[in-house]
Amino acid sequence: MAKMKWWNGLRSVAEELIILALVLMAVLASNLGHAASGSSSLQGYGLKIFRVESGLYPFVHVYMRTFDQEMNPLVNLNVLNIGMMVEGRAYDPRKRQYLIQPLRGREEATRSILVLDTNKALKGADFEAMVRAAARFIDAKRPQDQVALLALDNSAEGYTVLSNFDREPSNLGRRLADLQPRADKTRLYDGVGAAMQLAATAMGGDSSSEVEYVVSSSIVILGSGRDDDSAISRSDLMTRISSLKIPTPIYALGFTGGEGRDQRNLQALVKNSFGKYYPVGGGYETITRSIEDIQHVMQSDYVLTFRAYVPVDGGKHNVKVGVEYPTGSGIMYYDSSFFEAIEPPTFPRILEAQAKVDKAIPALGKDEELYLKNPYAPASAPPAGSRN
C-alpha cells in the first residue's frame, strides 16, 4: 500500500510539472546545454542528452532522446527506469527529488525544417504525394510547434527558404500550394547544410507569438535523395552533422525508385544524425503512417527535472543519467552532461515558477539523506573505548 501511495504521489507531481514550460520561455535563451557523446548499441538501445537548462536553479531540466535498434523511442519511462548522478553520487529515487516526463505533454516547442525536392523528375504522382506528406506533417504538429519550408530549386544557392519558422498551418499551406517541380538539378547536400544552419541560428519566435521556448530542432527531407553537384560533399556534410553540439536529427521520406545510390544518400544522412528513414516509392498509402511516426518520435523526447543541492557558485557540474530498460532487466546505458549552479534573475515569473516547482519537488529536511546508500561501503569504525 505504501508503494502504491508513493507511485500515485509521483504521478500527481508529474502533472503539476507541466506548467513549467512557460517559465523556461522567459529566461533561458542563454543557458544552452551541451550534448554529450551518448550511448548506443546495435543490439539494444541508447540515449543522448541534447540540452540542459539551469534557468530555474536549483531546479534543472535535462532534455534527452532515447532510441532502440530501430531508432524508435523508448516508451513509458518512469523514475524506476532512471538512475541519476550529480558529481558522481546517485540520487535515491524514493526521495522524490527527480521526475521524468515525455515532451509530448509539455508546453515547450519543437522546430522542424521541411526540405522539399522540386526536381522535374518528381513530377506527377510522386510530387503530389510529397506535397501531401508535407501538408500532413504540418497538420499533425502541436499548436506551439514551428515549421520552416526550404525548397531545393534552380536558384544560385541551390535552395530557397519558402517560409521561415511559423506555427500557423494556413500560412505554411499557402507556401506549399505554390510549389511546382521545375528544378533541373537537386543540390541535396547544400540544402541540408542550409537547413542545419537555420536550425542552429534561429532561436526567436515568429511574428504570431508572444513568447515561446524551443528545445529541439529536426530536419525532414522529402525527395528522391539524388544530389547533382552540390558545393559541399556528402563527406563534408557528414562531418558537420557529427560535430554538432546540439544534435539535429534528420528524418527522410524517399520518393521514387527502389534501393539505389540516391536512397543510400538519405539513409547515410539519417543514420549519422540519429534520425529515421522511411521508403515511399510508389507505396503512397504508407505516407500518413510515416508522418505520424516522425511526429511521435519527435514528441517522445524526455524531460528529466531534478533538484540540485550544489551551492550557487557559477560553476559547471557533472550530471549523469542512466536508463534501465525494461525495468528490472539489469541492462543500463548512460549519458552525461553538465549544469550550471547559477542564481536566476528575481523576475516575478521566475519566482512564481520556482515556488510551484518547489511544491512539486520539496527540499529534503536537514537530517534526510539525498543519495543512495552503498550497501558495500565499509562500516564506520566504532568509537574508541567502546565494547562489543
Side-chain angles (χ1 to χ4, degrees), residues 24 34 47-54 59-65 84-86 99-101 106 108 301-306 319-321 335-339:
L24 296 171
H34 294 273
L47 71 149
K48 178 176 284 290
I49 295 174
F50 62 87
R51 194 181 185 110
V52 178
E53 294 290 0
S54 306
F59 306 103
V60 180
H61 298 269
V62 179
Y63 295 87
M64 62 185 190
R65 184 165 293 128
M84 201 204 78
M85 287 145 282
V86 171
L99 294 161
I100 188 167
Q101 299 171 282
R106 295 172 60 91
E108 291 99 325
D301 288 339
Y302 284 95
V303 185
L304 175 69
T305 303
F306 71 92
V319 57
K320 191 165 189 173
V321 179
D335 198 9
S336 60
S337 188
F338 62 83
F339 65 91

Side-chain angles (χ1 to χ4, degrees), residues 91-342:
Y91 273 40
D92 188 339
R94 295 168 297 182
K95 299 300 183 180
R96 294 176 57 181
Q97 296 300 288
Y98 65 92
L99 294 161
I100 188 167
Q101 299 171 282
L103 187 63
R104 180 178 294 102
R106 295 172 60 91
E107 295 297 322
E108 291 99 325
T110 65
R111 280 181 166 168
S112 305
I113 302 102
L114 302 188
V115 178
L116 304 158
D117 190 350
T118 66
N119 195 290
K120 292 176 181 178
L122 278 172
K123 64 183 179 181
D126 281 334
F127 187 81
E128 292 175 6
M130 186 193 73
V131 173
R132 285 199 303 271
R136 177 61 183 146
F137 182 90
I138 293 167
D139 290 339
K141 74 178 187 64
R142 300 176 303 166
Q144 68 267 39
D145 294 336
Q146 303 169 18
V147 176
L149 303 177
L150 186 150
L152 305 176
D153 55 20
N154 281 330
S155 63
E157 295 80 10
Y159 62 87
T160 298
V161 177
L162 301 178
S163 173
N164 213 314
F165 290 109
D166 200 330
R167 61 182 181 178
E168 178 52 55
S170 60
N171 295 341
L172 296 163
R174 284 192 291 271
R175 297 291 188 179
L176 278 178
D178 296 333
L179 208 59
Q180 296 296 327
R182 296 170 178 166
D184 299 306
K185 294 182 178 180
T186 299
R187 289 165 57 181
L188 174 66
Y189 305 142
D190 290 342
V192 173
M196 290 170 57
Q197 186 174 4
L198 186 62
T201 58
M203 294 301 296
D206 63 80
S207 59
S208 64
S209 64
E210 297 177 358
V211 62
E212 47 206 8
Y213 180 58
V214 179
V215 296
S216 67
S217 296
S218 303
I219 296 171
V220 182
I221 303 172
L222 299 96
S224 66
R226 67 183 290 175
D227 181 80
D228 301 308
D229 196 29
S230 282
I232 61 174
S233 67
R234 190 174 90 172
S235 177
D236 291 337
L237 183 58
M238 298 285 269
T239 300
R240 291 190 192 182
I241 293 172
S242 300
S243 62
L244 288 174
K245 289 185 176 181
I246 300 179
T248 301
I250 298 175
Y251 306 94
L253 270 67
F255 290 82
T256 73
E259 290 294 324
R261 184 185 65 181
D262 295 344
Q263 300 300 297
R264 290 195 295 271
N265 287 340
L266 294 177
Q267 292 168 357
L269 296 177
V270 162
K271 184 176 182 179
N272 198 33
S273 66
F274 295 93
K276 198 171 179 181
Y277 173 72
Y278 303 83
V280 176
Y284 303 134
E285 70 280 356
T286 66
I287 290 177
T288 296
R289 186 165 63 250
S290 298
I291 290 297
E292 290 175 349
D293 190 66
I294 294 174
Q295 290 281 3
H296 167 70
V297 172
M298 290 173 54
Q299 296 172 22
S300 293
D301 288 339
Y302 284 95
V303 185
L304 175 69
T305 303
F306 71 92
R307 183 168 196 144
Y309 285 84
V310 177
V312 172
D313 59 7
K316 296 177 180 179
H317 299 273
N318 180 264
V319 57
K320 191 165 189 173
V321 179
V323 173
E324 180 193 39
Y325 191 84
T327 305
S329 67
I331 302 172
M332 181 166 277
Y333 287 92
Y334 295 88
D335 198 9
S336 60
S337 188
F338 62 83
F339 65 91
E340 295 178 285
I342 58 175

Side-chain angles (χ1 to χ4, degrees), residues 25-57:
M25 298 173 185
V27 274
L28 305 178
S30 62
N31 297 327
L32 297 180
H34 294 273
S37 59
S39 301
S40 63
S41 171
L42 295 177
Q43 303 301 321
Y45 61 90
L47 71 149
K48 178 176 284 290
I49 295 174
F50 62 87
R51 194 181 185 110
V52 178
E53 294 290 0
S54 306
L56 289 181
Y57 198 78

